[in-house]
Amino acid sequence: MTLPETHLQLLSSVSKDGQLEVKLAEKPLPELEAHQVLVRVEASPINPSDLGVLFGLSDVGEAASTGDGRERVLRAPIPPKGMRAMKARVEQSLPVGNEGAGTVVAAGESESAQALMGKVVAAMGGGMYAQYRKVDAAACLVLQEGHTPRDGASCFVNPLTALSMVETMRLEGHSALIHTAAASNLGQMLVRICRDESVGLVNVVRKAEQVKLLKELGAEHVVDSSQESFLGDLIEAIHATGATLAFDAIGGGSLASSILMAMEASESRRMKAYSIYGSTTHKQLYIYGSLDNAPTTLARSYGMAWGVGGWLLPNFMARAGREVGARMRARVAKELKTTFASHYTDEISLFDALDADTARRFQAKKTGQKFLLNPQLG
């Protein structure tokens, strides 16, 4: 196969005058070291974590595109508050795309790299919104026979996050989970995992059709935050499962506080004597997403045995160690079309990603709407 001398890569930058700029850059194909391979990227998902790098705190609602094809540029204004938060990014061009999949088209001289030639692999190395990506051979997950790059595009972020939530539960001594934005691709994976492993799971969604979706997947406890009975329903579901650990993808607003309140209400039923300090059972909530960028509001009405913190997949993987990571990766490869199947509503090119109207659609982060970027299109 004859390789091109250059390829296109998507870059995001912030200017001093408060403008976000996203454009394509023509880059030479990278030179490989002995342990590296070159992947022809054919599928890469647009995850919420990717949007944080792609658009930052800019106002995508006011974004505009100029030019056509590889000359197209998307610009969006950044409000003063956003500029303060993004100060460290000024005049830096950042590559985008946490994960993706494709075919290995060149390899370094090491045995491990050469063994991947022609293989369809998935990788999580950043900068995957590009036509070609240099990756360490050890970082590649070889897809099983019959699995396509589209199948393996989301091999890492969502599957490993879902598995790591259950691992965190066990590591920290909890017995059941609560998960918000539970109708997402990640949430559906978590439903399947907990169903198969008999782990209690309380799913928090915000629409009646999402309740139906998760029930059809086998979820036992699904509560709708848009209903007037939400808090009561949440308490009952938590009491039924004994969940004392929650993972919140929303971040902003009062939902985290409501979950802690419901956990305390459930634990209070088990108390044999009243205490002004509440139950002695520790209740932990981890915020792992920012679907709502508003401040997180805590009402402090759930005793004194509780904690709120941030949770990030790479940090947990480093804590868990190589053996746990290898076990999880092997399971993802084996169950790629079942437990960890991802579904996409739209497939777009690098050029499409620079269209302001298209950008507004995937920036909306609507549950049930998932975009796949294919750098080889167009």
Side-chain angles (χ1 to χ4, degrees):
M1 177 181 180
T2 303
L3 297 176
E5 293 183 358
T6 63
H7 72 120
L8 297 177
Q9 181 174 38
L10 198 69
L11 299 175
S12 172
S13 62
V14 172
S15 67
K16 288 182 178 179
D17 60 354
Q19 286 285 316
L20 176 99
E21 186 174 276
V22 184
K23 63 182 180 180
L24 293 171
E26 189 169 3
K27 300 279 188 177
L29 279 195
E31 295 184 5
L32 302 179
E33 296 180 16
H35 60 284
Q36 294 175 327
V37 298
L38 185 67
V39 179
R40 182 180 185 267
V41 183
E42 297 161 61
S44 183
I46 300 179
N47 293 317
S49 55
D50 298 311
L51 294 173
V53 178
L54 188 61
F55 297 134
L57 296 175
S58 65
D59 184 357
V60 180
E62 297 298 320
S65 300
T66 58
D68 293 310
R70 66 177 60 196
E71 302 302 323
R72 179 177 287 171
V73 178
L74 184 147
R75 294 183 178 88
I78 305 172
K81 183 178 179 181
M83 279 299 292
R84 289 193 292 272
M86 298 171 69
K87 185 177 180 180
R89 277 195 57 176
V90 172
E91 296 191 333
Q92 291 190 52
S93 291
L94 301 182
V96 190
N98 284 322
E99 63 179 329
T103 306
V104 174
V105 293
E109 60 189 24
S110 74
E111 185 178 342
S112 60
Q114 284 293 317
L116 296 180
M117 270 299 296
K119 302 286 188 183
V120 177
V121 302
M124 185 172 75
M128 299 300 290
Y129 294 172
Q131 292 175 322
Y132 292 87
R133 178 70 170 90
K134 177 177 67 174
V135 183
D136 285 353
C140 292
L141 178 65
V142 179
L143 303 190
Q144 294 187 354
E145 190 71 28
H147 290 174
T148 67
R150 184 185 179 96
D151 295 327
S154 297
C155 262
F156 289 92
V157 175
N158 284 346
L160 294 183
T161 297
L163 286 170
S164 294
M165 287 176 176
V166 178
E167 293 286 342
T168 299
M169 178 198 75
R170 292 177 175 136
L171 187 64
E172 297 186 1
H174 301 275
S175 59
L177 298 167
I178 303 160
H179 184 226
T180 70
S184 64
N185 269 359
L186 188 157
Q188 293 177 46
M189 293 176 189
L190 189 59
V191 167
R192 298 184 193 109
I193 293 168
C194 290
R195 179 197 63 201
D196 294 345
E197 299 186 15
S198 300
V199 172
L201 176 65
V202 178
N203 300 276
V204 179
V205 299
R206 51 189 174 183
K207 294 180 181 179
E209 56 265 35
Q210 294 170 349
V211 175
K212 182 175 182 292
L213 170 67
L214 294 188
K215 288 284 188 180
E216 290 175 348
L217 286 178
E220 183 177 358
H221 303 284
V222 190
V223 292
D224 184 351
S225 62
S226 68
Q227 299 297 310
E228 290 185 8
S229 61
F230 168 62
L231 188 56
D233 295 339
L234 182 61
I235 292 171
E236 293 303 321
I238 290 174
H239 192 67
T241 59
T244 51
L245 174 65
F247 288 92
D248 179 26
I250 307 301
S254 61
L255 180 58
S257 192
S258 295
I259 292 171
L260 288 168
M261 187 187 308
M263 284 195 281
E264 175 66 10
S266 171
E267 289 302 314
S268 294
R269 295 183 184 181
R270 298 182 172 91
M271 292 175 62
K272 295 181 179 179
Y274 170 76
S275 169
I276 61 171
Y277 301 112
S279 70
T280 58
T281 302
H282 183 75
K283 301 161 290 292
Q284 179 67 45
L285 182 138
Y286 287 120
I287 295 173
Y288 78 97
S290 300
L291 295 178
D292 184 346
N293 288 318
T296 304
T297 305
L298 299 177
R300 292 285 305 277
S301 57
Y302 20 83
M304 297 300 291
W306 57 275
V308 174
W311 189 94
L312 194 64
L313 175 62
N315 293 355
F316 173 79
M317 296 295 286
R319 176 188 178 192
R322 291 185 179 180
E323 184 178 339
V324 173
R327 169 166 51 81
M328 292 195 296
R329 283 162 56 114
R331 180 175 176 181
V332 172
K334 183 180 178 181
E335 302 176 29
L336 192 55
K337 287 194 173 184
T338 53
T339 306
F340 304 106
S342 292
H343 306 284
Y344 306 99
T345 55
D346 299 78
E347 183 173 357
I348 64 174
S349 69
L350 290 170
F351 312 105
D352 296 329
L354 298 175
D355 175 73
D357 290 334
T358 302
R360 277 186 277 274
R361 288 178 58 216
F362 59 74
Q363 170 69 5
K365 295 177 282 193
K366 292 182 179 179
T367 300
Q369 180 173 280
K370 184 79 170 177
F371 280 72
L372 183 72
L373 194 150
N374 182 348
Q376 304 305 322
L377 290 178

